[in-house]
Amino acid sequence: MVSLGLEDKVIVVTGGNRGIGRAIVDLLVELGAKVAYLDLSVESGNDKALGLVADVTDLNSMEAIAKEIEEKLGTVYGVVANAGITKDNFFTKLTPADWDAVINVNLKGVANTFKPFMEAMYAQNAGSLVAISSISGDRGNAGQANYAATKAGVIGIVKSLARECARYNVRANAVAPGFINTEMTQVIPDKVRDKITAEIPFRRFGEPADIAWAVAYLLSPVASAYVSGEVVRVNGAHHT
Ligand code: NDP
């Protein structure tokens, strides 16, 4: 029998209450990890994981929560910066508030999520950081200039951290999902959804579990020990 080597590893997932984050939490629990998930609300999350209320835009509270997780579960091995929001509009109609909100959660939020855990990772000489990017960050998307900028930005973060952290045996990678069936994509009008589906060679949106498996691969010290600074695209061949 082989395993991904995630048994008893302490792994933190932001936005883990629902959607893609929830699927990541569920899979990591199945793989034997000790999982903490952080979200604005944690009422409906996986009851085999530690749910903590947190806002990724607030670095001070993320630092306090990092201490709490370490006390309750032990030193963190893996961090998945998954929490994200959209405030879509055509570029000329995007307001300063739309820019700030998306940058605060999707870009600064990723930095705020990784930073509080990294010194301890360095000290234990092991760790894996995973950010959830997007097909929009990779190829752009009309109506999503603010969102795409943050999702391209997190690729810059993980590529830089990959170089910075390698000496401590800490890896940093991103997963770039295509269109995935979650509440985030439920707001897409049917006509637009049909048009997008027609562009996807698999002729369907992906499922949250498709992203969870890519994340588990990148977290695994067995499967991806020499993989860092990479972007794994999971998009049904929509953009390659
Ligand atoms: P959802 O909207 O379904 O879930 C997002 C989760 O993040 C929610 O639980 C939400 O909490 C939480 N969250 C939002 N803001 C914060 C915050 N400030 N602090 C902590 N948690 C927060 O999104 P998805 O599951 O679809 O998306 C997950 C990630 O994947 C995002 O980064 C998204 O950009 C990315 N992605 C999604 C794609 C898709 O097609 N679905 C495609 C490409 C990328 P609450 O429930 O309280 O709102």
Side-chain angles (χ1 to χ4, degrees):
M1 279 283 268
V2 289
S3 99
L4 287 178
L6 296 174
E7 298 85 355
D8 293 324
K9 290 271 189 297
V10 179
I11 300 173
V12 179
V13 182
T14 64
N17 193 51
R18 63 182 169 91
I20 290 170
R22 173 66 196 262
I24 295 168
V25 171
D26 291 349
L27 178 60
L28 294 176
V29 166
E30 286 297 311
L31 292 168
K34 293 198 249 173
V35 184
Y37 66 95
L38 314 182
D39 211 312
L40 297 175
S41 101
V42 293
E43 277 131 38
S44 54
N46 186 315
D47 60 11
K48 291 186 186 132
L50 173 65
L52 298 169
V53 174
D55 182 343
V56 298
T57 65
D58 180 351
L59 178 60
N60 288 335
S61 83
M62 291 297 285
E63 278 170 346
I65 275 178
K67 283 202 186 93
E68 185 178 344
I69 293 170
E70 178 140 2
E71 277 161 24
K72 288 188 172 153
L73 300 181
T75 304
V76 170
Y77 161 80
V79 177
V80 184
N82 163 79
I85 61 167
T86 51
K87 298 268 178 199
D88 297 352
N89 215 331
F90 291 117
F91 191 71
T92 53
K93 296 201 166 82
L94 275 174
T95 64
D98 294 334
W99 276 95
D100 288 348
V102 172
I103 285 172
N104 283 338
V105 177
N106 297 10
L107 189 61
K108 286 190 189 165
V110 171
N112 293 344
T113 298
F114 287 163
K115 191 170 177 229
F117 298 99
M118 287 176 57
E119 298 277 358
M121 287 183 177
Y122 292 171
Q124 73 182 349
N125 202 44
S128 177
L129 305 164
V130 181
I132 305 300
S133 176
S134 168
I135 187 173
S136 297
D138 210 8
R139 56 147 229 190
N141 196 22
Q144 288 200 313
N146 54 351
Y147 180 80
T150 64
K151 294 300 183 179
V154 303
I155 292 174
I157 292 178
V158 298
K159 283 184 181 282
S160 300
L161 291 182
R163 291 173 181 274
E164 199 169 311
C165 305
R167 78 190 74 168
Y168 304 107
N169 194 32
V170 172
R171 298 177 296 110
N173 293 285
V175 175
F179 287 81
I180 307 297
N181 282 319
T182 68
E183 284 176 44
M184 185 177 270
T185 50
Q186 267 167 23
V187 297
I188 298 174
D190 284 348
K191 230 172 131 183
V192 179
R193 173 180 279 267
D194 290 347
K195 203 170 155 244
I196 296 167
T197 305
E199 287 170 3
I200 302 171
F202 274 69
R203 298 287 184 266
R204 62 174 178 82
F205 280 20
E207 297 302 325
D210 296 324
I211 308 308
W213 279 105
V215 170
Y217 161 72
L218 290 173
L219 287 169
S220 168
V222 176
S224 63
Y226 199 49
V227 178
S228 198
E230 284 300 327
V231 183
V232 176
R233 295 184 178 115
V234 184
N235 63 29
H238 194 175
H239 176 68
T240 57

